[in-house]
Amino acid sequence: MGAAKGSLVHSATGRDTATGRDTILDSAVRHFNERGYHGTSLRDIASGADMTAASIYHHFKSKQDILQSIMRRALQRALGMTRTALVRAGESPPDQLRAIMRAWIMFHTTHQLDAVVGATELRSVDESGRGLVIALRDEQEALFRDVIDRGAEQGLFQTRFPRDATRGIISMGSRSARGGSKTGRWNRVNWPTGTRRWRWRPSSTKPEWRVRRSGRGDDTLDVYPAAVEPLEVTVLP
């Protein structure tokens, strides 16, 4: 009986600790989106989490520790969603690309605040935590790149630049966290000057995808399903 009671107490304490950590992280994410990492204080985070600043130290060593935890949480969630989509998509590279792109955009539209911090605050991560964050980003890129490389090798994706295509597609999805419709149905997004404009129009009738440089003499990459209007990724002046 003593062991069982101890297990219950330990379990409840673990849940309370996890809840406290998540509450702090959620508050930090909101403030980092509004004010940036350097413009947010521990007092701000504590206020948003409805606790004292001293209480934060029961869960995190510092504001930097909070930022790194947010980055890891965001990247691990994205990896989990895209890996699951890949496993369920079967063996066809076009089906796999469609599935992981849908999951990638879904992550950025359902975990929007986390995604924005993950995309914009790498510069604020200390060297001690940067290695793991970059490793997780590289792992995510490798998942996309493997699908695109196999599709190109099989002649299903027409591109001479699979690495550029991979980064272009990832960039299109990640920018969905910073604009567009709240419904998740992204048809056309006009971004501020210096970013990108793109359209996501997957083909339901012909799975082959094509990725190419535009040939217009600018930094443009066209990514599109065969026989369907190209999705354009254009760096605006």
Side-chain angles (χ1 to χ4, degrees):
M1 289 295 292
K5 183 177 180 180
S7 298
L8 289 173
V9 171
H10 177 74
S11 175
T13 303
R15 284 198 300 272
D16 289 345
T17 300
T19 300
R21 285 179 61 88
D22 286 340
T23 300
I24 293 167
L25 292 179
D26 291 342
S27 173
V29 163
R30 292 192 300 272
H31 281 88
F32 291 168
N33 270 267
E34 293 171 2
R35 307 179 185 182
Y37 172 76
H38 294 291
T40 298
S41 68
L42 280 175
R43 189 179 299 276
D44 294 328
I45 296 170
S47 176
D50 195 24
M51 63 177 63
T52 65
S55 298
I56 289 180
Y57 292 105
H58 292 297
H59 304 277
F60 299 97
K61 295 180 291 185
S62 63
K63 186 174 73 166
Q64 178 63 212
D65 188 22
I66 293 173
L67 174 62
Q68 292 181 25
S69 296
I70 291 169
M71 300 288 279
R72 290 193 299 270
R73 181 175 76 169
L75 291 165
Q76 288 166 350
R77 280 175 173 172
L79 269 169
M81 291 175 71
T82 51
R83 282 174 179 159
T84 299
L86 180 63
V87 168
R88 293 176 177 174
E91 299 298 323
S92 165
D95 289 344
Q96 291 175 341
L97 181 57
R98 188 175 291 109
I100 62 176
M101 189 61 177
R102 183 179 294 113
W104 184 237
I105 292 177
M106 185 63 69
F107 163 74
H108 283 85
T109 54
T110 57
H111 298 87
Q112 187 175 28
L113 298 182
D114 290 65
V116 170
V117 172
T120 60
E121 290 293 355
L122 178 61
R123 64 186 181 275
S124 301
V125 176
D126 287 351
E127 290 299 324
S128 62
R130 187 168 302 200
L132 176 58
V133 171
I134 291 176
L136 289 169
R137 283 189 168 194
D138 288 347
E139 190 174 349
Q140 182 68 79
E141 181 176 326
L143 184 146
F144 275 89
R145 188 170 62 246
D146 177 67
V147 171
I148 291 173
D149 283 347
R150 285 188 291 104
E153 289 169 2
Q154 295 174 27
L156 299 174
F157 304 148
Q158 298 180 12
T159 176
R160 293 180 295 141
F161 308 99
R163 186 172 293 271
D164 288 347
T166 299
R167 290 176 177 170
I169 288 171
I170 289 172
S171 178
M172 284 192 291
S174 63
R175 289 187 180 278
S176 63
R178 288 179 260 178
S181 166
K182 294 182 179 180
T183 66
R185 298 177 181 177
W186 301 82
N187 181 38
R188 185 183 182 100
V189 181
N190 292 314
W191 307 106
T193 299
T195 56
R196 289 175 172 82
R197 176 185 298 125
W198 59 282
R199 285 169 289 178
W200 170 246
R201 298 185 60 182
S203 168
S204 60
T205 57
K206 192 171 180 61
E208 290 79 10
W209 286 68
R210 297 177 180 175
V211 183
R212 69 184 182 192
R213 289 191 183 277
S214 67
R216 289 188 284 273
D218 55 7
D219 186 7
T220 302
L221 186 69
D222 291 341
V223 185
Y224 61 100
V228 177
E229 182 179 359
L231 285 73
E232 210 170 72
V233 186
T234 306
V235 176
L236 302 175

